[in-house]
Amino acid sequence: LAESRARLSRRGEHAFLDSLCERLRGRAALTAPAAGVLVGPGDDAAVVGPGSAPLAITTDALVEGVHFRTGWLAPEELGARAIAVNLSDLAAMGASPRWTLVAAIVPPDLSTAELDRILDACAAASEDAGAAMIGGNLSRGDALSLTVTAVGALEGRALERRGARAGDRLVVTGTLGAAAAAVDVWLDGGEPPPALRERFARPVARLAAGRALARAGARAAIDVSDGLLADLGHLCRASGVGAVVERARLPRLAQVAIRDGAGSEFAAAGGEDYELLAALPADFDERAIADLADACEVELTIVGRCTEAAGGVHLLGEDGCDVAPRLGGFDHFATESRRRGRQRP
Amino acid sequence: LAESRARLSRRGEHAFLDSLCERLRGRAALTAPAAGVLVGPGDDAAVVGPGSAPLAITTDALVEGVHFRTGWLAPEELGARAIAVNLSDLAAMGASPRWTLVAAIVPPDLSTAELDRILDACAAASEDAGAAMIGGNLSRGDALSLTVTAVGALEGRALERRGARAGDRLVVTGTLGAAAAAVDVWLDGGEPPPALRERFARPVARLAAGRALARAGARAAIDVSDGLLADLGHLCRASGVGAVVERARLPRLAQVAIRDGAGSEFAAAGGEDYELLAALPADFDERAIADLADACEVELTIVGRCTEAAGGVHLLGEDGCDVAPRLGGFDHFATESRRRGRQRP
């Protein structure tokens, strides 16, 4: 009974989702070979095999007041961001976007001009990634939200969260922490510097990187939406490994240091950057990784390595000692959200 | 400028969507053969052809306070209904459901037990229709909403909205008006009789009917979600035809007559029944239609016929004269919604 009265805010989104995915995976509809399901619930995207061509399918929402606030983003940026966060899930599977659908919940007083700008930006951002916006839905509601479904084609096997092994090198694309730092400045009533704002307003799905990592034989990957450590935790749980990440190695823009210590906090736990985190076999040396970065069309940084599962997931400070980040990973239902972590260390 | 200040509540959902679909259809991403788009935006579902197997894809949302109110539906009914309204769009294309995804926006105080019941019902309703629930998303928000994406397989050609010709017979599956009558009773503070409540709480996607109609050579079809006349209008516009429907022929449960005249009003304009409306070539006589009803696994009723486009869309009363229904079709953004039509004839 206590359990049945639990609220999501207490139980936590990820625990709830883990339990839901567990139940879904046990259902006959998913386990039957006829279902054509190659990767079921719980990864960045599901993978289905209609006939010979496997497709990756994912859905993700941006909700006003939760993922953004009015005034933070221009209508074009909101539309493009809603598409990008979905394409990022396809990128993490190594898939190439083909089609998108956009289901909008819209307050009745939103101007049609603004809605046109949002939805045209969804179409344009889809097109820029090689996908066609083929449909959607429009409903009334009190808060604006955009729920996008993206479908991508896979050339070979999907890059799943599971598959990493002890000894693998962990690499991330691009830089971390800027989007979370921008949000932090907004929540403090300020206006983030352009370099930070840009990373929140115009995230770039690492599509070429996802494909290149899959082709090069990366063992596992995930997109960094909840924060590096949280998403690393998802990857480690799915793979049955532990991990060690060195804080000093986390790539970040200088501007992320909006106050003492904030730079490494945001990089380790900030989230919403939509970079990729991947596990590469240990025989990838720095030279091989530099070559791979060319194919990825973005910087790749070695940030740590996978260990045996019993080791757990650790962030090491500059002195080699364990440090726990003060910010938690993003959990929509957490009572103490990441965004309050700074005030409540 | 006047236009740019227009609100959706004034301009109307369908006019907005028509304009959006028009723009989308003109985009290079949709017109390029490489996009593999067989049916683009503006139909019940989009159809894409990855390799040889065409897939129908659709997305639709149920939003608390717009499509239902707390207390009207048990959690199981809400989950099943969210799936059914999407499967109905697949049915209208003649597709067989294969996969579903469920993106939920959830108030933080919803109990996990209730959310479990909602999402498990989504999985069960998918399975009952032969589909596997392969993924989804969970976000916080003030009002509960479920945005489902459903993907179906097509055996042959898709049953589109366009394709009807003057002289075609118009048929509908099942009965009309019960769901809207149930909502009307709820909005009046009452509790609808079980026969009406059931049709709102547990709509049945007419999947066998959609496939049978496609196989039998139906020229066009649409699911009746906005109200028969509104959806007939969509089909006629897409097909470039007009239509005449006889009010006396509209199939309805006796219970729909919750007050004088309400029965035929709800049947003609009520919506949310998720029956199918299809255009059959004129050489389908009553005998052929009776045989087709067997394959459809549901009653089929001839309600009218298609005419030349110039004739427009007409509802004829028992005396053969034009009647205009007092209730408008469902428009989320209409200032005068269907549900106030009764008070404001």
Side-chain angles (χ1 to χ4, degrees):
Chain A
L1 188 63
E3 177 61 21
S4 77
R5 288 182 186 281
R7 300 289 185 259
L8 262 183
S9 48
R10 285 185 236 142
R11 188 169 161 195
E13 177 182 2
H14 292 299
F16 178 85
L17 286 177
D18 284 349
S19 152
L20 173 66
C21 289
E22 196 59 44
R23 288 203 309 284
L24 287 175
R25 280 191 290 261
R27 295 191 81 103
L30 268 174
T31 52
V37 179
L38 306 176
V39 177
D43 217 301
D44 291 288
V47 179
V48 296
S52 55
L55 296 175
I57 310 184
T58 188
T59 184
D60 204 352
L62 293 188
V63 182
E64 184 181 0
V66 176
H67 299 97
F68 66 96
R69 291 194 183 169
T70 310
W72 290 5
L73 299 175
E76 288 76 13
E77 290 170 333
L78 177 59
R81 185 172 161 86
I83 297 294
V85 305
N86 278 274
L87 299 186
S88 178
D89 281 322
L90 295 184
M93 306 301 284
S96 298
R98 295 293 305 276
W99 308 291
T100 60
L101 298 95
V102 180
I105 297 178
V106 181
D109 63 348
L110 188 82
S111 76
T112 54
E114 272 179 299
L115 188 56
D116 275 341
R117 288 166 65 190
I118 292 169
L119 296 176
D120 286 347
C122 290
S126 301
E127 259 175 71
D128 287 348
M133 180 170 151
I134 56 173
N137 187 60
L138 197 57
S139 294
R140 183 165 58 82
D142 290 333
L144 178 63
S145 73
L146 297 173
T147 300
V148 172
T149 301
V151 185
L154 284 158
E155 284 163 32
R157 77 183 175 93
L159 202 48
E160 298 179 48
R161 293 180 180 183
R162 66 176 180 181
R165 301 182 203 167
D168 283 357
R169 285 168 182 268
L170 289 166
V171 296
V172 295
T173 61
T175 63
L176 299 170
V183 169
D184 205 74
V185 174
W186 270 314
L187 291 178
D188 272 352
E191 186 59 31
L196 300 184
R197 185 189 181 285
E198 180 77 7
R199 292 304 312 276
F200 181 84
R202 300 178 185 271
V204 178
R206 300 303 185 188
L207 292 160
R211 286 188 296 259
L213 287 161
R215 271 197 300 267
R219 290 214 170 104
I222 188 170
D223 80 321
V224 181
S225 52
D226 294 338
L228 179 73
L229 288 176
D231 290 311
L232 176 59
H234 300 325
L235 184 146
C236 286
R237 262 201 308 284
S239 293
V241 297
V244 172
V245 166
E246 292 173 56
R247 190 167 64 181
R249 289 179 177 261
L250 299 181
R252 57 182 198 260
L253 300 176
Q255 293 92 329
V256 173
I258 53 176
R259 71 187 143 267
D260 277 359
S264 56
E265 291 290 321
F266 286 122
E272 305 202 41
D273 287 304
Y274 299 98
E275 297 293 350
L276 299 184
L277 167 68
L280 292 171
D283 57 9
F284 271 76
D285 57 18
E286 301 213 358
R287 182 67 250 154
I289 289 173
D291 289 345
L292 183 53
D294 285 341
C296 287
E297 300 174 13
V298 63
E299 201 181 336
L300 276 187
T301 306
I302 303 172
V303 297
R305 61 192 165 78
C306 295
T307 61
E308 300 297 333
V313 176
H314 298 277
L315 179 68
L316 302 185
E318 285 66 11
D319 56 1
C321 292
D322 254 34
V323 284
R326 285 175 295 169
L327 306 164
F330 193 87
D331 182 331
H332 292 115
F333 299 95
T335 311
E336 303 292 304
S337 86
R338 180 201 54 179
R339 283 157 185 173
R340 312 183 69 170
R342 188 165 55 79
Q343 283 82 26
R344 307 180 175 208
Chain B
L1 188 63
E3 177 61 21
S4 77
R5 289 182 184 280
R7 300 289 185 259
L8 263 184
S9 48
R10 286 185 235 143
R11 188 170 160 194
E13 178 182 1
H14 292 298
F16 179 84
L17 287 177
D18 284 348
S19 151
L20 174 66
C21 288
E22 196 58 44
R23 288 203 309 284
L24 287 175
R25 281 191 290 260
R27 296 191 80 102
L30 269 173
T31 51
V37 179
L38 306 176
V39 178
D43 218 302
D44 291 288
V47 179
V48 297
S52 55
L55 296 173
I57 310 184
T58 187
T59 185
D60 204 352
L62 292 188
V63 182
E64 185 180 1
V66 177
H67 299 97
F68 66 95
R69 290 195 183 168
T70 311
W72 290 4
L73 298 175
E76 288 77 10
E77 291 170 332
L78 177 59
R81 184 171 161 85
I83 297 294
V85 304
N86 279 273
L87 299 187
S88 178
D89 281 323
L90 296 184
M93 306 300 286
S96 298
R98 296 293 305 275
W99 308 291
T100 61
L101 298 95
V102 180
I105 297 178
V106 182
D109 63 348
L110 188 84
S111 78
T112 56
E114 273 179 297
L115 188 56
D116 275 341
R117 288 166 66 192
I118 292 169
L119 296 175
D120 285 348
C122 290
S126 301
E127 258 176 71
D128 288 347
M133 180 170 150
I134 56 173
N137 188 61
L138 197 57
S139 294
R140 183 163 59 80
D142 291 332
L144 178 63
S145 72
L146 297 173
T147 300
V148 172
T149 301
V151 185
L154 283 159
E155 285 163 31
R157 77 186 174 93
L159 201 47
E160 299 179 47
R161 293 181 179 182
R162 65 176 180 178
R165 300 182 202 167
D168 283 357
R169 285 168 181 269
L170 289 166
V171 296
V172 295
T173 61
T175 63
L176 299 170
V183 168
D184 205 74
V185 174
W186 268 314
L187 291 178
D188 272 352
E191 186 59 33
L196 300 184
R197 185 189 182 284
E198 180 77 8
R199 292 304 313 277
F200 182 84
R202 299 177 186 273
V204 178
R206 301 301 185 188
L207 292 160
R211 286 188 296 259
L213 286 163
R215 269 197 302 267
R219 290 213 171 104
I222 188 170
D223 80 322
V224 181
S225 52
D226 294 338
L228 178 72
L229 289 177
D231 290 311
L232 175 60
H234 301 325
L235 183 146
C236 286
R237 262 200 308 284
S239 293
V241 297
V244 172
V245 165
E246 294 172 53
R247 190 167 65 181
R249 288 179 178 261
L250 299 180
R252 55 183 199 258
L253 301 176
Q255 293 93 329
V256 172
I258 54 177
R259 73 186 142 267
D260 278 358
S264 56
E265 290 290 321
F266 286 123
E272 303 202 41
D273 287 303
Y274 299 99
E275 298 293 350
L276 299 184
L277 167 68
L280 292 171
D283 57 8
F284 271 77
D285 57 19
E286 300 214 358
R287 180 68 252 155
I289 289 174
D291 290 345
L292 184 52
D294 285 342
C296 286
E297 300 174 14
V298 63
E299 199 181 338
L300 276 189
T301 306
I302 303 172
V303 296
R305 62 191 165 77
C306 295
T307 61
E308 300 296 334
V313 176
H314 297 277
L315 179 67
L316 301 186
E318 286 67 11
D319 56 1
C321 293
D322 255 36
V323 285
R326 283 176 297 169
L327 306 162
F330 193 87
D331 183 331
H332 291 116
F333 300 95
T335 310
E336 304 291 303
S337 84
R338 180 202 55 181
R339 282 157 187 173
R340 311 184 71 172
R342 190 165 55 79
Q343 283 82 27
R344 306 181 176 209

